[in-house]
Amino acid sequence: MKELSFFELVYEVAKQIPYGRVTSYGAIASYLGTKQSSRMVGWAMNSSHNDLLNIPAHRVVNRIGLLTGKHHFGGNDVMKQLLESEGIQVVDNQIVDFEKHFWDPAKELNL
DNA sequence: ACCATGACGTTTC
DNA sequence: CGAAACGCCATGG
């Protein structure tokens, strides 16, 4: 199993997500240059649980701010609770004012 | 080397 | 406007 891979890039970005901010898989994918592989980002997060680092995957949602992978956090509304804990309003697994909390690594993060 | 999977995204019906 | 199908790329078996 390779630690260094596309996944690690996703981890780096995910870890750099500011508190109270959220981003989309497509944004990360686009930032990594593989915008067409937004699924890979999600899958990378799936492997994130294998990473020893703290991956705030709860801050990563789909393009509409829907908590698609919330069941991967334990099955309950753990993800929602985490987001609300950061001041983000979540209703029906969907982030309220997603655009307002949206954090684009390609724009706000200059590497 | 090939087939199957995956927390998405976009387009079409 | 809502749902479904296809596309897309990387990893694992």
Side-chain angles (χ1 to χ4, degrees):
Chain A
M1 183 161 163
K2 227 174 10 171
E3 284 86 28
L4 285 175
S5 58
F6 179 87
F7 296 155
E8 190 174 280
L9 296 175
V10 180
Y11 302 154
E12 290 298 304
V13 177
K15 287 186 296 187
Q16 289 169 81
I17 300 176
Y19 178 89
R21 292 279 202 228
V22 288
T23 189
S24 62
Y25 302 96
I28 298 177
S30 181
Y31 171 71
L32 297 176
T34 56
K35 61 182 182 186
Q36 291 141 320
S37 303
S38 44
R39 334 170 94 184
M40 291 286 73
V41 181
W43 199 9
M45 309 303 330
N46 189 2
S47 293
S48 70
H49 72 86
N50 206 4
D51 195 295
L52 303 177
L53 304 168
N54 296 344
I55 310 299
H58 60 274
R59 296 182 187 151
V60 184
V61 295
N62 64 359
R63 70 175 184 90
I64 64 176
L66 190 68
L67 281 57
T68 52
K70 72 144 196 161
H71 35 263
H72 286 272
F73 275 80
N76 284 326
D77 298 319
V78 180
M79 188 172 183
K80 174 183 171 178
Q81 312 260 325
L82 288 168
L83 290 170
E84 289 182 332
S85 229
E86 300 189 357
I88 300 176
Q89 297 175 321
V90 179
V91 176
D92 191 33
N93 298 332
Q94 187 170 342
I95 297 177
V96 182
D97 297 325
F98 173 63
E99 308 174 25
K100 195 159 80 173
H101 298 293
F102 184 67
W103 176 81
D104 191 344
K107 293 178 182 176
E108 309 198 38
L109 182 70
N110 296 327
L111 292 183

